[in-house]
Amino acid sequence: MTLGVWAAALIVGIYLLVAHSFVNGSRGMAPGNWPDRSKLTCASDQMTLVTFIHPACPCSMASIEELARIQAHCGERLKFYVVFVWSGGSSQLDASMTYRSSIANPGFESVVDRDTSEARAFGAQTSGHAFLFARDGRLVFDGGITGARGHSGDNLGQMAIEEWVFKGRSDTIATPVFGCGLLHPSESGLEGAR
């Protein structure tokens, strides 16, 4: 009897864990063009990818890994901004493996968005949300670059970005974003950026 209860609890636990992996986060209203109020600059000689990350989100290391894969494939054809939405202390930010991995990559321009103005300008609400802009400032893709929470590997977001970079088009213009909330602590279970 005890073994049966234990097995049932294990099955339910695994099911809940897997189901949670595929629950996507909130999405804001993405701008159709590069937001005027952003302090970041859209490149005119290459496409620009802006990805928002909460440094305490355990799912976000997978997004950093995916960005590195995209960078390895696209090279100089793509400008990378990694925007960390964080109003906490600098020592906590510096301790984040996600933040350290980003700043260690010379191809990423890592930015800290302490007042959430960049996240709000782009409409980012979930960690891992990526926005791809054409050279003329037009938004061509917005969404996640992982296939589930905390899982790196081939996925629609990564493939869409690479298609836009190499072919100038893709049938995929949006994907779900899997991660913790950037702006509202209740959506993440974390001490959010507010």
Short mmCIF file of all heavy atoms in Angstrom, two decimals, residues 120-165:
data_model
loop_
_atom_site.label_atom_id
_atom_site.label_comp_id
_atom_site.label_asym_id
_atom_site.label_seq_id
_atom_site.Cartn_x
_atom_site.Cartn_y
_atom_site.Cartn_z
N ARG A 120 9.88 48.07 -20.19
CA ARG A 120 8.58 48.66 -20.49
C ARG A 120 8.53 49.21 -21.93
O ARG A 120 7.52 49.08 -22.62
CB ARG A 120 8.25 49.74 -19.48
CG ARG A 120 8.01 49.17 -18.09
CD ARG A 120 7.77 50.25 -17.04
NE ARG A 120 7.85 49.73 -15.70
CZ ARG A 120 6.90 49.05 -15.07
NH1 ARG A 120 5.77 48.81 -15.69
NH2 ARG A 120 7.07 48.61 -13.84
N ALA A 121 9.62 49.79 -22.39
CA ALA A 121 9.66 50.34 -23.76
C ALA A 121 9.49 49.23 -24.81
O ALA A 121 8.84 49.44 -25.84
CB ALA A 121 10.97 51.09 -23.99
N PHE A 122 10.06 48.06 -24.53
CA PHE A 122 9.98 46.96 -25.50
C PHE A 122 8.76 46.06 -25.26
O PHE A 122 8.45 45.23 -26.10
CB PHE A 122 11.26 46.12 -25.45
CG PHE A 122 12.43 46.77 -26.12
CD1 PHE A 122 13.23 47.69 -25.43
CD2 PHE A 122 12.74 46.50 -27.44
CE1 PHE A 122 14.31 48.29 -26.05
CE2 PHE A 122 13.82 47.09 -28.06
CZ PHE A 122 14.61 48.00 -27.36
N GLY A 123 8.11 46.20 -24.11
CA GLY A 123 6.97 45.34 -23.80
C GLY A 123 7.37 43.98 -23.24
O GLY A 123 6.60 43.03 -23.34
N ALA A 124 8.56 43.90 -22.65
CA ALA A 124 9.03 42.62 -22.09
C ALA A 124 8.46 42.43 -20.69
O ALA A 124 8.57 43.32 -19.85
CB ALA A 124 10.56 42.60 -22.04
N GLN A 125 7.86 41.27 -20.45
CA GLN A 125 7.31 40.96 -19.13
C GLN A 125 7.84 39.65 -18.56
O GLN A 125 7.65 39.37 -17.40
CB GLN A 125 5.78 40.90 -19.20
CG GLN A 125 5.15 42.22 -19.49
CD GLN A 125 3.63 42.16 -19.45
OE1 GLN A 125 3.03 41.11 -19.29
NE2 GLN A 125 3.01 43.32 -19.61
N THR A 126 8.51 38.85 -19.40
CA THR A 126 8.99 37.54 -18.97
C THR A 126 10.46 37.39 -19.32
O THR A 126 10.90 37.78 -20.40
CB THR A 126 8.16 36.42 -19.66
OG1 THR A 126 6.80 36.58 -19.28
CG2 THR A 126 8.64 35.05 -19.26
N SER A 127 11.23 36.84 -18.38
CA SER A 127 12.65 36.62 -18.60
C SER A 127 12.84 35.67 -19.78
O SER A 127 12.18 34.65 -19.88
CB SER A 127 13.28 36.03 -17.34
OG SER A 127 14.67 35.96 -17.46
N GLY A 128 13.75 36.06 -20.67
CA GLY A 128 14.01 35.27 -21.87
C GLY A 128 13.32 35.80 -23.12
O GLY A 128 13.48 35.24 -24.20
N HIS A 129 12.58 36.90 -22.97
CA HIS A 129 11.87 37.47 -24.13
C HIS A 129 12.88 38.17 -25.05
O HIS A 129 13.63 39.04 -24.62
CB HIS A 129 10.81 38.46 -23.66
CG HIS A 129 9.77 38.74 -24.69
ND1 HIS A 129 8.51 39.19 -24.36
CD2 HIS A 129 9.77 38.64 -26.05
CE1 HIS A 129 7.79 39.36 -25.46
NE2 HIS A 129 8.55 39.03 -26.50
N ALA A 130 12.89 37.78 -26.31
CA ALA A 130 13.82 38.32 -27.29
C ALA A 130 13.07 39.07 -28.38
O ALA A 130 11.98 38.66 -28.79
CB ALA A 130 14.64 37.18 -27.91
N PHE A 131 13.65 40.17 -28.83
CA PHE A 131 13.07 41.01 -29.87
C PHE A 131 14.12 41.20 -30.96
O PHE A 131 15.21 41.69 -30.70
CB PHE A 131 12.69 42.39 -29.30
CG PHE A 131 11.68 42.32 -28.18
CD1 PHE A 131 12.10 42.08 -26.87
CD2 PHE A 131 10.33 42.50 -28.43
CE1 PHE A 131 11.18 42.02 -25.84
CE2 PHE A 131 9.40 42.44 -27.40
CZ PHE A 131 9.83 42.19 -26.10
N LEU A 132 13.77 40.83 -32.19
CA LEU A 132 14.70 40.97 -33.32
C LEU A 132 14.22 42.10 -34.23
O LEU A 132 13.07 42.10 -34.68
CB LEU A 132 14.76 39.66 -34.11
CG LEU A 132 15.69 39.65 -35.33
CD1 LEU A 132 17.15 39.82 -34.91
CD2 LEU A 132 15.51 38.37 -36.13
N PHE A 133 15.13 43.03 -34.48
CA PHE A 133 14.82 44.19 -35.32
C PHE A 133 15.66 44.17 -36.59
O PHE A 133 16.86 43.88 -36.55
CB PHE A 133 15.09 45.48 -34.55
CG PHE A 133 14.14 45.71 -33.41
CD1 PHE A 133 14.39 45.17 -32.16
CD2 PHE A 133 12.97 46.45 -33.60
CE1 PHE A 133 13.51 45.36 -31.10
CE2 PHE A 133 12.08 46.64 -32.55
CZ PHE A 133 12.36 46.10 -31.30
N ALA A 134 15.02 44.52 -37.69
CA ALA A 134 15.72 44.68 -38.97
C ALA A 134 16.57 45.95 -38.92
O ALA A 134 16.43 46.77 -38.02
CB ALA A 134 14.71 44.75 -40.11
N ARG A 135 17.41 46.14 -39.93
CA ARG A 135 18.28 47.32 -39.98
C ARG A 135 17.51 48.63 -40.00
O ARG A 135 17.99 49.65 -39.55
CB ARG A 135 19.17 47.23 -41.23
CG ARG A 135 20.18 46.12 -41.18
CD ARG A 135 20.91 45.99 -42.51
NE ARG A 135 21.83 44.89 -42.48
CZ ARG A 135 21.52 43.63 -42.77
NH1 ARG A 135 20.29 43.32 -43.14
NH2 ARG A 135 22.42 42.68 -42.71
N ASP A 136 16.28 48.60 -40.52
CA ASP A 136 15.48 49.82 -40.58
C ASP A 136 14.68 50.06 -39.30
O ASP A 136 13.85 50.96 -39.24
CB ASP A 136 14.54 49.79 -41.80
CG ASP A 136 13.53 48.65 -41.76
OD1 ASP A 136 13.51 47.87 -40.76
OD2 ASP A 136 12.76 48.51 -42.72
N GLY A 137 14.90 49.24 -38.26
CA GLY A 137 14.23 49.42 -36.99
C GLY A 137 12.88 48.74 -36.87
O GLY A 137 12.20 48.85 -35.86
N ARG A 138 12.51 47.97 -37.88
CA ARG A 138 11.23 47.26 -37.87
C ARG A 138 11.35 45.97 -37.07
O ARG A 138 12.31 45.20 -37.23
CB ARG A 138 10.86 46.95 -39.33
CG ARG A 138 9.55 46.30 -39.58
CD ARG A 138 9.32 46.22 -41.10
NE ARG A 138 10.54 45.93 -41.85
CZ ARG A 138 10.92 44.71 -42.21
NH1 ARG A 138 10.19 43.67 -41.92
NH2 ARG A 138 12.04 44.55 -42.90
N LEU A 139 10.39 45.70 -36.17
CA LEU A 139 10.37 44.46 -35.40
C LEU A 139 9.94 43.32 -36.32
O LEU A 139 8.90 43.39 -36.95
CB LEU A 139 9.38 44.57 -34.23
CG LEU A 139 9.24 43.33 -33.35
CD1 LEU A 139 10.52 43.07 -32.56
CD2 LEU A 139 8.05 43.46 -32.41
N VAL A 140 10.78 42.27 -36.41
CA VAL A 140 10.45 41.15 -37.29
C VAL A 140 10.17 39.87 -36.52
O VAL A 140 9.56 38.94 -37.05
CB VAL A 140 11.55 40.92 -38.36
CG1 VAL A 140 11.64 42.11 -39.30
CG2 VAL A 140 12.90 40.61 -37.72
N PHE A 141 10.60 39.80 -35.27
CA PHE A 141 10.35 38.61 -34.44
C PHE A 141 10.33 39.03 -32.98
O PHE A 141 11.14 39.85 -32.55
CB PHE A 141 11.44 37.56 -34.64
CG PHE A 141 11.38 36.44 -33.63
CD1 PHE A 141 10.53 35.36 -33.82
CD2 PHE A 141 12.15 36.48 -32.48
CE1 PHE A 141 10.45 34.36 -32.87
CE2 PHE A 141 12.07 35.48 -31.53
CZ PHE A 141 11.22 34.40 -31.73
N ASP A 142 9.39 38.44 -32.21
CA ASP A 142 9.45 38.58 -30.77
C ASP A 142 8.96 37.31 -30.12
O ASP A 142 7.97 36.71 -30.56
CB ASP A 142 8.70 39.83 -30.27
CG ASP A 142 7.23 39.63 -30.03
OD1 ASP A 142 6.48 39.63 -31.01
OD2 ASP A 142 6.84 39.49 -28.87
N GLY A 143 9.70 36.84 -29.12
CA GLY A 143 9.30 35.63 -28.43
C GLY A 143 10.46 35.01 -27.68
O GLY A 143 11.51 35.61 -27.50
N GLY A 144 10.24 33.78 -27.27
CA GLY A 144 11.26 33.05 -26.52
C GLY A 144 12.23 32.33 -27.43
O GLY A 144 11.92 32.05 -28.59
N ILE A 145 13.40 32.02 -26.88
CA ILE A 145 14.43 31.33 -27.65
C ILE A 145 14.79 29.99 -27.00
O ILE A 145 15.84 29.43 -27.27
CB ILE A 145 15.68 32.21 -27.85
CG1 ILE A 145 16.20 32.73 -26.52
CG2 ILE A 145 15.36 33.36 -28.81
CD1 ILE A 145 17.53 33.47 -26.62
N THR A 146 13.88 29.51 -26.14
CA THR A 146 14.00 28.15 -25.59
C THR A 146 12.68 27.43 -25.87
O THR A 146 11.64 28.05 -26.02
CB THR A 146 14.27 28.16 -24.07
OG1 THR A 146 13.17 28.76 -23.39
CG2 THR A 146 15.56 28.91 -23.74
N GLY A 147 12.75 26.11 -25.91
CA GLY A 147 11.56 25.32 -26.19
C GLY A 147 10.69 25.06 -24.97
O GLY A 147 9.55 24.64 -25.09
N ALA A 148 11.23 25.33 -23.78
CA ALA A 148 10.51 25.15 -22.51
C ALA A 148 11.31 25.87 -21.43
O ALA A 148 12.42 26.36 -21.69
CB ALA A 148 10.38 23.67 -22.17
N ARG A 149 10.77 25.94 -20.23
CA ARG A 149 11.47 26.61 -19.12
C ARG A 149 12.79 25.88 -18.82
O ARG A 149 12.80 24.70 -18.52
CB ARG A 149 10.62 26.60 -17.86
CG ARG A 149 9.46 27.54 -17.90
CD ARG A 149 8.65 27.44 -16.62
NE ARG A 149 7.49 28.26 -16.70
CZ ARG A 149 7.39 29.47 -16.16
NH1 ARG A 149 8.40 29.97 -15.49
NH2 ARG A 149 6.29 30.17 -16.30
N GLY A 150 13.88 26.62 -18.93
CA GLY A 150 15.18 26.09 -18.54
C GLY A 150 15.76 25.04 -19.47
O GLY A 150 16.71 24.37 -19.10
N HIS A 151 15.22 24.89 -20.66
CA HIS A 151 15.69 23.85 -21.59
C HIS A 151 16.31 24.48 -22.83
O HIS A 151 15.63 25.15 -23.59
CB HIS A 151 14.54 22.93 -22.00
CG HIS A 151 13.99 22.14 -20.87
ND1 HIS A 151 14.59 21.01 -20.38
CD2 HIS A 151 12.89 22.34 -20.11
CE1 HIS A 151 13.88 20.54 -19.37
NE2 HIS A 151 12.84 21.33 -19.18
N SER A 152 17.60 24.24 -23.03
CA SER A 152 18.24 24.72 -24.26
C SER A 152 18.21 23.60 -25.29
O SER A 152 17.95 22.45 -24.97
CB SER A 152 19.67 25.19 -23.98
OG SER A 152 20.42 24.16 -23.38
N GLY A 153 18.45 23.95 -26.52
CA GLY A 153 18.39 23.00 -27.63
C GLY A 153 17.59 23.59 -28.76
O GLY A 153 17.00 24.66 -28.63
N ASP A 154 17.56 22.92 -29.90
CA ASP A 154 16.84 23.43 -31.07
C ASP A 154 15.41 23.81 -30.71
O ASP A 154 14.73 23.09 -29.98
CB ASP A 154 16.82 22.39 -32.18
CG ASP A 154 18.20 22.17 -32.79
OD1 ASP A 154 19.04 23.07 -32.67
OD2 ASP A 154 18.42 21.10 -33.39
N ASN A 155 14.97 24.97 -31.20
CA ASN A 155 13.62 25.45 -30.91
C ASN A 155 13.21 26.44 -31.98
O ASN A 155 14.05 26.95 -32.73
CB ASN A 155 13.55 26.07 -29.51
CG ASN A 155 14.42 27.29 -29.39
OD1 ASN A 155 14.01 28.38 -29.78
ND2 ASN A 155 15.64 27.13 -28.88
N LEU A 156 11.92 26.73 -32.05
CA LEU A 156 11.38 27.61 -33.09
C LEU A 156 11.93 29.02 -33.04
O LEU A 156 12.18 29.64 -34.07
CB LEU A 156 9.85 27.67 -32.98
CG LEU A 156 9.08 26.50 -33.57
CD1 LEU A 156 7.59 26.66 -33.29
CD2 LEU A 156 9.33 26.40 -35.06
N GLY A 157 12.12 29.57 -31.83
CA GLY A 157 12.63 30.94 -31.71
C GLY A 157 14.02 31.08 -32.29
O GLY A 157 14.30 31.99 -33.07
N GLN A 158 14.89 30.18 -31.92
CA GLN A 158 16.27 30.19 -32.43
C GLN A 158 16.27 30.03 -33.95
O GLN A 158 16.95 30.77 -34.67
CB GLN A 158 17.07 29.07 -31.78
CG GLN A 158 18.45 28.86 -32.37
CD GLN A 158 18.79 27.39 -32.56
OE1 GLN A 158 18.21 26.50 -31.95
NE2 GLN A 158 19.72 27.14 -33.44
N MET A 159 15.47 29.10 -34.46
CA MET A 159 15.44 28.86 -35.91
C MET A 159 14.88 30.08 -36.65
O MET A 159 15.39 30.45 -37.71
CB MET A 159 14.62 27.62 -36.22
CG MET A 159 15.34 26.34 -35.80
SD MET A 159 14.48 24.83 -36.30
CE MET A 159 13.23 24.71 -35.03
N ALA A 160 13.85 30.73 -36.07
CA ALA A 160 13.27 31.90 -36.72
C ALA A 160 14.29 33.04 -36.81
O ALA A 160 14.41 33.69 -37.86
CB ALA A 160 12.03 32.37 -35.95
N ILE A 161 15.01 33.27 -35.74
CA ILE A 161 16.02 34.35 -35.75
C ILE A 161 17.07 34.08 -36.81
O ILE A 161 17.43 34.97 -37.59
CB ILE A 161 16.65 34.50 -34.35
CG1 ILE A 161 15.62 35.10 -33.38
CG2 ILE A 161 17.91 35.37 -34.40
CD1 ILE A 161 16.01 35.03 -31.92
N GLU A 162 17.54 32.86 -36.88
CA GLU A 162 18.56 32.52 -37.88
C GLU A 162 18.01 32.62 -39.30
O GLU A 162 18.72 33.05 -40.21
CB GLU A 162 19.16 31.15 -37.58
CG GLU A 162 19.98 31.18 -36.30
CD GLU A 162 20.58 29.85 -35.91
OE1 GLU A 162 20.56 28.90 -36.74
OE2 GLU A 162 21.07 29.75 -34.78
N GLU A 163 16.75 32.26 -39.50
CA GLU A 163 16.15 32.44 -40.83
C GLU A 163 16.07 33.92 -41.20
O GLU A 163 16.37 34.30 -42.33
CB GLU A 163 14.74 31.82 -40.87
CG GLU A 163 14.75 30.32 -40.92
CD GLU A 163 13.36 29.70 -40.84
OE1 GLU A 163 12.38 30.45 -40.62
OE2 GLU A 163 13.26 28.48 -41.01
N TRP A 164 15.66 34.77 -40.26
CA TRP A 164 15.61 36.21 -40.53
C TRP A 164 16.99 36.74 -40.87
O TRP A 164 17.14 37.54 -41.80
CB TRP A 164 15.03 36.96 -39.34
CG TRP A 164 13.55 36.95 -39.27
CD1 TRP A 164 12.76 36.26 -38.39
CD2 TRP A 164 12.64 37.64 -40.13
NE1 TRP A 164 11.43 36.49 -38.66
CE2 TRP A 164 11.34 37.33 -39.72
CE3 TRP A 164 12.82 38.50 -41.22
CZ2 TRP A 164 10.20 37.86 -40.35
CZ3 TRP A 164 11.69 39.02 -41.84
CH2 TRP A 164 10.40 38.70 -41.41
N VAL A 165 18.00 36.30 -40.14
CA VAL A 165 19.35 36.81 -40.37
C VAL A 165 19.89 36.35 -41.72
O VAL A 165 20.46 37.15 -42.47
CB VAL A 165 20.29 36.38 -39.22
CG1 VAL A 165 21.75 36.67 -39.56
CG2 VAL A 165 19.90 37.09 -37.92
#
